[in-house]
């Protein structure tokens, strides 16, 4: 039996623009996904995924022979995706899947799947660990994306992340212990946002953004080092303003929380998942009154 684990992620700065080379600041979460692999004699893969409450959301069976073939796979969208990822992994390392036997694989999230903390990225990184292959390449050949989420899956510290001109990841682990951590909160917006749809809209609207990429990179380089809560919130607001103009969409604070006295920033694709809240006072009662009940303190969410 083999066991693997990958961290979830939150993108503090760099959403959208990290795809085009901007430097991003991201945090690994205390939540993630585990995966257990057991070899069996049957020449099949039995793949089961459990949500945090132990409900099964993927339960698939497929023959090793089918995975190793080039046949078009028919079945659920989960099965099609699973086979696509395993075929891509097999291309990098053809010593794991053979017709000598199969595997029983069980994956378990430690966060609700709809939270958007990296169900796909933690899965991809776990598969890459199993196959002992490059997870960034596996991501490119399956789901796509910048790869910052893979870096968070791998590392237990905050990271600065960017892609170089050859589309390769550049990761720098940093420390983030400002004196105002107790004034930072994460609030779930009660809806899952499709990163794929958000990225598609961004690519349609972005235009020429060289100066914006430079500004976002500068914010990323400064925000993790500041000890000033005032400067930190200013940088969050400046970041929201830049992205707002690019994607032509109002910030979440303007849309939903215009009467809030602190600062609220989207994390990742705009419109759902979690937001970062920076507030002098505990904002719990405010968000509860608005119907948002999932409110986590910084140290409850971040490693």
């Amino acid at each position: 039996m083999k066991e693997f684990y990958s961290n979830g992620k939150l993108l503090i700065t760099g959403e959208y623009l990290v795809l085009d080379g901007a430097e991003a600041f991201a945090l690994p979460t205390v939540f993630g996904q585990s995966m257990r692999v057991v070899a069996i004699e049957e020449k099949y893969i039995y793949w089961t995924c459990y949500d945090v409450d132990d409900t099964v959301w993927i339960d698939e069976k497929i023959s090793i022979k089918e995975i190793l073939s080039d046949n078009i796979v028919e079945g659920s969208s989960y099965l099609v995706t699973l086979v696509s990822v395993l075929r891509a992994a097999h291309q990098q390392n053809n010593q794991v899947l053979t017709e000598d036997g199969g595997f029983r694989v069980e994956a378990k999230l430690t966060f609700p799947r709809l939270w958007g903390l990296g169900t796909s990225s933690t899965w991809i990184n776990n598969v890459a660990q199993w196959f002992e292959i490059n997870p960034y390449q596996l991501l490119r050949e399956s789901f796509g994306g910048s790869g910052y989420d893979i870096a968070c899956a791998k590392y237990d510290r905050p990271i600065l992340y960017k892609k170089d001109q050859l589309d390769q990841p550049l990761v720098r682990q940093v420390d983030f212990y400002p004196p105002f951590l107790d004034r930072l909160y994460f609030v779930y917006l009660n809806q899952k946002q499709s990163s794929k749809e958000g990225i598609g809209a961004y690519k349609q609207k972005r235009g020429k953004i060289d100066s914006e990429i430079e500004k976002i990179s500068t914010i990323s380089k400064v925000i993790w080092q500041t000890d000033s809560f005032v400067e930190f919130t200013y940088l969050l607001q400046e970041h929201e303003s830049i992205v707002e103009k690019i994607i032509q969409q109002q910030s979440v604070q303007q849309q939903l929380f215009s009467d809030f006295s602190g600062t609220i920033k989207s994390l990742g694709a705009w419109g759902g998942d979690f937001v970062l809240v920076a507030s002098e006072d505990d904002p719990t009662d405010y968000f509860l009154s608005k119907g948002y009940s999932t409110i986590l303190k910084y140290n409850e969410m971040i490693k």
Side-chain angles (χ1 to χ4, degrees):
M1 183 179 72
K2 296 182 178 180
E3 294 185 316
F4 309 97
Y5 181 82
S6 293
N7 305 317
K9 48 68 182 178
L10 283 172
L11 187 62
I12 305 303
T13 66
E15 67 266 21
Y16 299 118
L17 287 87
V18 67
L19 292 161
D20 291 313
E23 191 154 28
F25 176 50
L27 302 172
T29 68
V30 298
F31 305 102
Q33 183 169 195
S34 62
M35 189 175 84
R36 183 173 62 184
V37 180
V38 179
I40 60 176
E41 292 183 2
E42 292 179 78
K43 299 175 183 180
Y44 286 87
I45 285 187
Y46 296 85
W47 200 290
T48 308
C49 293
Y50 297 90
D51 211 328
V52 66
D53 61 359
D54 287 328
T55 58
V56 174
W57 64 281
I58 293 180
D59 191 15
E60 301 289 355
K61 171 189 175 182
I62 189 163
S63 70
I64 297 293
K65 184 178 181 179
E66 185 72 10
I67 297 170
L68 299 183
S69 75
D70 295 326
N71 297 337
I72 295 175
V73 177
E74 296 183 357
S76 70
S77 60
Y78 293 129
L79 181 63
V80 172
T81 300
L82 172 62
V83 174
S84 174
V85 169
L86 291 177
R87 284 176 175 173
H90 181 71
Q91 287 295 314
Q92 288 192 59
N93 179 3
N94 62 11
Q95 301 302 306
V96 177
L97 300 182
T98 69
E99 293 193 53
D100 294 334
F103 299 93
R104 190 174 300 277
V105 182
E106 293 185 348
K108 174 72 181 292
L109 292 167
T110 66
F111 60 89
R113 183 164 56 95
L114 296 181
W115 275 12
L117 296 182
T119 303
S120 299
S121 57
T122 53
W123 177 48
I124 288 293
N125 193 62
N126 282 339
V127 171
Q129 289 182 82
W130 174 24
F131 277 73
E132 299 181 349
I133 59 176
N134 185 325
Y136 300 103
Q137 182 178 337
L138 184 58
L139 180 74
R140 283 194 298 270
E141 295 173 355
S142 54
F143 291 95
S146 71
Y148 88 88
D149 45 4
I150 295 296
C152 285
K154 290 165 60 67
Y155 300 113
D156 291 334
R157 290 169 56 195
I159 61 164
L160 290 174
Y161 179 92
K162 69 179 297 184
K163 299 193 300 178
D164 66 16
Q165 294 180 339
L166 298 177
D167 208 32
Q168 296 302 306
L170 299 175
V171 184
R172 177 185 170 195
Q173 296 184 73
V174 299
D175 292 321
F176 182 60
Y177 299 112
F180 50 80
L181 282 184
D182 60 345
R183 284 175 269 180
L184 303 183
Y185 302 80
F186 298 97
V187 178
Y188 181 58
L189 296 183
N190 297 337
Q191 59 182 3
K192 179 77 179 74
Q193 180 63 23
S194 168
S195 297
K196 187 175 183 179
E197 291 178 7
I199 290 170
Y202 158 74
K203 288 183 175 179
Q204 287 184 341
K205 298 175 181 178
R206 64 187 168 187
K208 186 174 177 58
I209 55 170
D210 291 352
S211 64
E212 286 81 2
I213 289 173
E214 185 174 344
K215 289 175 183 176
I216 292 296
S217 294
T218 299
I219 290 173
S220 297
K221 292 171 184 174
V222 174
I223 200 167
W224 69 272
Q225 299 181 79
T226 184
D227 287 332
S228 166
F229 186 65
V230 172
E231 182 180 32
F232 184 82
T233 56
Y234 169 78
L235 292 171
L236 294 181
Q237 293 163 4
E238 181 67 14
H239 193 293
E240 289 288 87
S241 177
I242 293 169
V243 176
E244 181 179 40
K245 292 176 183 176
I246 294 172
I247 67 173
Q248 301 167 34
Q249 180 179 331
Q250 274 193 328
S251 70
V252 68
Q253 185 154 5
Q254 290 175 304
Q255 288 185 53
L256 301 176
F257 310 111
S258 60
D259 59 340
F260 184 65
S261 59
T263 299
I264 300 172
K265 183 190 176 299
S266 291
L267 304 176
W270 284 26
D273 299 337
F274 277 88
V275 292
L276 171 63
V277 177
S279 176
E280 293 281 4
D281 302 313
D282 187 338
T284 300
D285 289 343
Y286 171 86
F287 286 102
L288 288 175
S289 72
K290 296 283 188 176
Y292 301 94
S293 58
T294 302
I295 306 155
L296 286 79
K297 297 178 181 178
Y298 182 92
N299 62 5
E300 294 175 320
M301 174 69 87
I302 303 302
K303 282 205 163 187

